[in-house]
Amino acid sequence: MNDWPEGWSGDNRGRYGRGSGSAQPESARVMRQVRRGAAQPPGPGPSAPPYGGGVPQQPSYVDGQGHGGDGYDSGYNTGQVYGSPGGHGPGQGRGGAGRPAPDWRRRIKWTAITVVTALVVTTVGTYFWADSKLNREVDLSKVIERPGAGEGTNYLIVGSDSREGMTDDQKKDLHTGSAEGKRTDSMMILHTGDNGSTLISLPRDSDVEIPSFVGSDSGKTYPGTGRHTKLNAAYAEDGPELLVRTVEHNTGLRLDHYVEIGFAGFANIVDAVGGVEMDIPQDIKDKKSGADLKKGKQTLNGEEALAFVRTRYALAGSDLDRTKNQQKFLSALASQVATPSTILNPFKLYPTMGAGLDSLIVDKDMGLFDLASMFWAMKSVSGGEGTSMNMPISGSVGGNLKWDDAKVKQLVQELKNDEKVTVSGN
């Protein structure tokens, strides 16, 4: 007994019937009302199927593809459900049709160009911002009777006890006192060249001769009288220009650049980098500097660092031991500033640069590259690639420290020729 409607063959049943393996659905039975051809004129309908029930006769399939001669087409037989060929969704046509693949080479190229441009703009902007903050106040052209230039570069680095811009609370916290004016608290010569860097401390109590000089403000020439005094008195008498003139006259070494930093600036730089780790060689307690430190490794903040580098009364070697501590700390500070964690972190780099540049006083010819070279040279000293020493001392005269003339002459000659330093200091 055949229960299939009229016009259905066994082949159709095999293709569309239950359990069919074909991917094609029963389009005619589901969407019979969809027609693409002209509407059929009204008339008597086909005879009812043998099994009755008033079920209308199903259209015959002429080509076996679900297309009848009356133009009937459900659209399901070809998969054109969404109006696109081959049964694919919009924009997903076969054979590469639809949305083109992204051009990754082009995207990478323009991303790289954008990043490089941003870096260049940021770098250039940072350079001009930093350059504008340098306080170029020292005019070395006022220094007379200067020695001839040698190989390498020589910096005179000065730590002053300037309290300019400090509040009463800051003076109290940093134990600086309230003395007017400013004096040199530390002085160092840093030599950079092809044979490594050399950092030489000049004790503030060094016995030196004050030569003839031109007043930095008056422009008047003051002839030398052979007068001897402590080195830091030269700075107190007529500032940086006379200090440079005095160091050059007593050493015979030409100084190329001058860098000075005051109390507040020093403490601010240390705090900006998050403190500096130091290995304190002994317990230090000094009421005058405010130092109260225990022996061993520890991270010093700005206040503690300033007290550490100013301490001399609690040290056996007094000023000579203090200069050694100053060398160690400045080298460690330079090393900390030059680390990737500071340079590559804008939230640390810019505050550090701002704190340092605001408080530095340099000569008129000093550039940012000169300043960077100075910091890298100081870092190399702390890394063991350079030499740190005190100016060689032979004894004392009138309560002042007398330099060893023979050793100083040899030291200066090696620095002028940019040779490896063989002289040892105290």
Side-chain angles (χ1 to χ4, degrees):
M1 178 179 176
N2 184 3
D3 293 335
W4 292 93
E6 225 178 271
W8 287 67
S9 65
D11 180 63
N12 288 335
R13 291 195 306 272
R15 181 179 298 272
Y16 303 109
R18 179 176 301 175
S20 169
S22 172
Q24 294 177 328
E26 295 179 289
S27 57
R29 297 179 65 185
V30 177
M31 297 187 65
R32 179 179 178 279
Q33 71 277 16
V34 179
R35 292 179 181 274
R36 294 187 179 178
Q40 295 295 326
S47 60
Y51 51 86
V55 178
Q57 180 179 355
Q58 303 297 316
S60 64
Y61 283 71
V62 177
D63 56 3
Q65 300 287 330
H67 300 286
D70 62 351
Y72 176 87
D73 185 4
S74 67
Y76 274 73
N77 295 292
T78 58
Q80 297 179 17
V81 179
Y82 300 103
S84 60
H88 299 276
Q92 298 181 359
R94 293 177 182 174
R99 182 183 301 172
D103 188 344
W104 289 108
R105 289 185 178 181
R106 182 182 178 86
R107 291 187 180 184
I108 292 173
K109 180 183 75 172
W110 281 107
T111 299
I113 291 175
T114 301
V115 170
V116 171
T117 301
L119 287 175
V120 170
V121 171
T122 301
T123 301
V124 172
T126 299
Y127 175 86
F128 284 105
W129 167 77
D131 188 72
S132 67
K133 294 180 76 65
L134 274 179
N135 300 307
R136 297 182 174 93
E137 299 178 7
V138 180
D139 188 357
L140 296 183
S141 67
K142 295 180 180 180
V143 180
I144 62 175
E145 301 177 21
R146 308 193 67 186
E151 300 294 328
T153 305
N154 299 310
Y155 299 82
L156 181 61
I157 303 173
V158 174
S160 76
D161 64 359
S162 171
R163 299 157 178 83
E164 184 177 353
M166 296 176 64
T167 64
D168 291 338
D169 288 340
Q170 288 176 317
K171 292 176 183 178
K172 181 179 179 181
D173 292 340
L174 298 177
H175 300 272
T176 65
S178 300
E180 296 297 328
K182 59 181 180 178
R183 284 151 294 279
T184 52
D185 209 51
S186 62
M187 291 159 283
M188 302 178 190
I189 293 175
L190 174 66
H191 173 84
T192 65
D194 295 333
N195 284 291
S197 303
T198 304
L199 187 60
I200 308 163
S201 286
L202 309 176
R204 57 184 288 176
D205 294 338
S206 297
D207 184 79
V208 294
E209 178 186 353
I210 301 296
S212 58
F213 66 96
V214 175
S216 57
D217 292 328
S218 65
K220 179 181 177 180
T221 300
Y222 298 89
T225 61
R227 174 169 55 101
H228 280 246
T229 185
K230 293 181 180 180
L231 180 58
N232 67 339
Y235 183 95
E237 188 172 333
D238 198 51
E241 288 84 0
L242 179 55
L243 179 61
V244 170
R245 168 76 173 123
T246 302
V247 172
E248 289 186 342
H249 175 77
N250 285 269
T251 62
L253 182 69
R254 185 184 182 96
L255 302 173
D256 301 290
H257 293 293
Y258 178 92
V259 180
E260 177 187 326
I261 186 169
F263 282 163
F266 179 85
N268 289 340
I269 293 176
V270 175
D271 286 334
V273 297
V276 176
E277 184 179 75
M278 287 293 297
D279 190 357
I280 308 298
Q282 65 181 72
D283 290 349
I284 299 176
K285 191 173 184 63
D286 185 356
K287 291 184 178 180
K288 291 196 174 183
S289 69
D292 188 6
L293 305 171
K294 298 298 182 182
K295 179 181 178 180
K297 285 189 176 181
Q298 53 200 284
T299 299
L300 304 182
N301 60 26
E303 178 183 339
E304 295 167 334
L306 183 59
F308 174 68
V309 299
R310 293 182 60 216
T311 295
R312 63 170 175 163
Y313 295 105
L315 305 176
S318 188
D319 201 38
L320 292 179
D321 282 350
R322 179 173 71 160
T323 57
K324 294 176 183 179
N325 286 341
Q326 290 172 345
Q327 290 176 347
K328 291 177 183 178
F329 187 86
L330 289 179
S331 296
L333 174 60
S335 182
Q336 177 71 23
V337 171
T339 57
S341 63
T342 299
I343 296 176
L344 300 180
N345 183 355
F347 297 103
K348 184 179 287 187
L349 175 63
Y350 285 98
T352 302
M353 292 179 65
L357 296 173
D358 278 341
S359 57
L360 288 179
I361 295 175
V362 299
D363 64 272
K364 293 184 180 296
D365 294 326
M366 173 72 86
L368 287 178
F369 290 110
D370 298 312
L371 196 60
S373 177
M374 184 193 78
F375 270 96
W376 282 106
M378 293 183 68
K379 179 184 178 183
S380 70
V381 171
S382 66
E385 301 172 8
T387 302
S388 60
M389 58 185 289
N390 277 323
M391 186 65 83
I393 303 296
S394 62
S396 63
V397 54
N400 299 336
L401 298 175
K402 188 179 186 316
W403 293 350
D404 187 320
D405 293 336
K407 286 187 176 182
V408 170
K409 183 177 180 180
Q410 181 183 348
L411 172 62
V412 170
Q413 193 62 34
E414 290 174 345
L415 295 177
K416 278 187 172 182
N417 296 331
D418 194 23
E419 299 172 347
K420 186 173 181 60
V421 172
T422 61
V423 177
S424 60
N426 298 78

